[in-house]
Amino acid sequence: MLQTAERALHVVRLVASRGEMTLTEVAGALQVSPSMAHRLLRTCAEAGYLDQELRHGPYTVGPVLRQVTADVTRGSTLPALLGGVLRQVAEGLLETTSLAVLEGRNIRFVLTEEGTHLVRIARPVRTVTPAHATAAGRAMLAGLSDDDLASRYQGRDLETVQPGTIQDWSQLEAELTKVRNRDWAIQVGEAQPGVAALAMPIRDGFGQTVAAVTVTVPYLRLSRSEDARSLARRLRPYADQMERRLASGSAR
């Protein structure tokens, strides 16, 4: 099993480095039989890491590998593009604010600016967290197509992070509908006890959600619906500024 997995990864690296490869070329490069090469290529293609437009044509990079590449690039370039605005958020709202990206069913915080409020939340304890349990994650999940969302949660099983974390699929769908309608997400104590957060999706120049900006506060400061609406109004100009920067970058 391990050897097969290593060979499959080798196939992906080969095709990615050369742009395209035929079955015969892969068999020769790996020094395996054509039947073994075919099984490896089909496995990679079915998983979306490779693609084959014509039945007997060469294999090329697939959509999943392109997405992985985009995610990695985004995670490294977004802080440079949006870091300045994120500092403005922390300074203007006095609260700890973070930039997060979506990785499969999880979010990853790629940059955090700590607030200066007397009582504040420090940097996120967990760099990677299940998306459905966080405001940032819901803000980004709400921007996915139905097919993309279903592919990430094929069993519709949701990890329990805290006792109050959403665990029912229909409840998550209802929450994502709310996020789409108001264009911001909130969670209270679902990722970490005593901590609440409000997040907004950040879209690029093509309208695709590529990140989320989130403000993390002690839960008492987001215990009422009017508190959330007020924070959302204050965060909106910064989110808009981030999107303008991304749109400008996409145009270049």
Side-chain angles (χ1 to χ4, degrees):
M1 180 69 73
L2 179 60
Q3 186 180 31
T4 301
E6 289 176 345
R7 283 176 170 173
L9 290 172
H10 193 183
V11 169
V12 171
R13 289 197 299 269
L14 280 172
V15 175
S17 65
R18 301 187 187 186
E20 64 177 38
M21 291 185 73
T22 64
L23 186 153
T24 301
E25 290 172 335
V26 170
L30 296 183
Q31 295 186 333
V32 298
S33 66
S35 60
M36 172 60 77
H38 181 262
R39 286 197 295 272
L40 291 169
L41 287 164
R42 291 316 306 162
T43 297
C44 295
E46 289 169 2
Y49 288 95
L50 298 180
D51 195 14
Q52 185 186 38
E53 292 187 8
L54 301 176
R55 184 176 179 183
H56 298 292
Y59 287 81
T60 59
V61 172
V64 171
L65 187 56
R66 291 194 192 94
Q67 185 61 53
V68 170
T69 303
D71 289 343
V72 172
T73 302
R74 202 161 48 230
S76 62
T77 59
L78 282 177
L81 282 172
L82 306 181
V85 183
L86 198 70
R87 285 191 292 274
Q88 293 176 27
V89 179
E91 293 169 359
L93 303 185
L94 309 181
E95 305 285 10
T96 297
T97 182
S98 304
L99 194 67
V101 295
L102 189 62
E103 296 181 350
R105 298 168 55 153
N106 298 315
I107 66 162
R108 180 181 294 277
F109 292 105
V110 296
L111 187 64
T112 297
E113 293 288 343
E114 195 165 308
T116 56
H117 200 288
L118 185 61
V119 180
R120 62 185 183 274
I121 301 300
R123 297 173 183 272
V125 175
R126 299 175 62 175
T127 303
V128 178
T129 309
H132 74 280
T134 66
R138 293 172 192 169
M140 290 183 282
L141 289 175
L144 299 179
S145 66
D146 291 341
D147 288 343
D148 195 351
L149 189 64
S151 69
R152 293 171 192 253
Y153 295 90
Q154 293 183 12
R156 295 193 173 186
D157 56 311
L158 302 175
E159 178 183 344
T160 299
V161 180
Q162 295 292 332
T165 303
I166 289 178
Q167 300 179 39
D168 180 77
W169 182 258
S170 61
Q171 187 181 359
L172 177 61
E173 287 184 316
E175 187 65 26
L176 295 183
T177 297
K178 291 181 183 178
V179 174
R180 295 184 188 105
N181 290 336
R182 66 194 178 197
D183 209 29
W184 53 267
I186 186 173
Q187 69 83 16
V188 180
E190 296 179 55
Q192 186 178 341
V195 175
L198 187 144
M200 290 183 174
I202 303 300
R203 303 176 182 89
D204 62 16
F206 304 100
Q208 298 296 313
T209 299
V210 298
V213 56
T214 180
V215 178
T216 308
V217 302
Y219 78 97
L220 288 176
R221 292 214 282 272
L222 273 182
S223 59
R224 302 176 302 170
S225 58
E226 59 192 79
D227 296 330
R229 289 193 294 270
S230 174
L231 181 56
R233 285 194 296 270
R234 296 165 63 201
L235 180 59
R236 173 56 61 194
Y238 297 107
D240 290 344
Q241 186 178 349
M242 288 182 176
E243 292 191 337
R244 286 195 295 271
R245 287 202 176 190
L246 285 182
S248 176
S250 299
R252 286 198 290 269

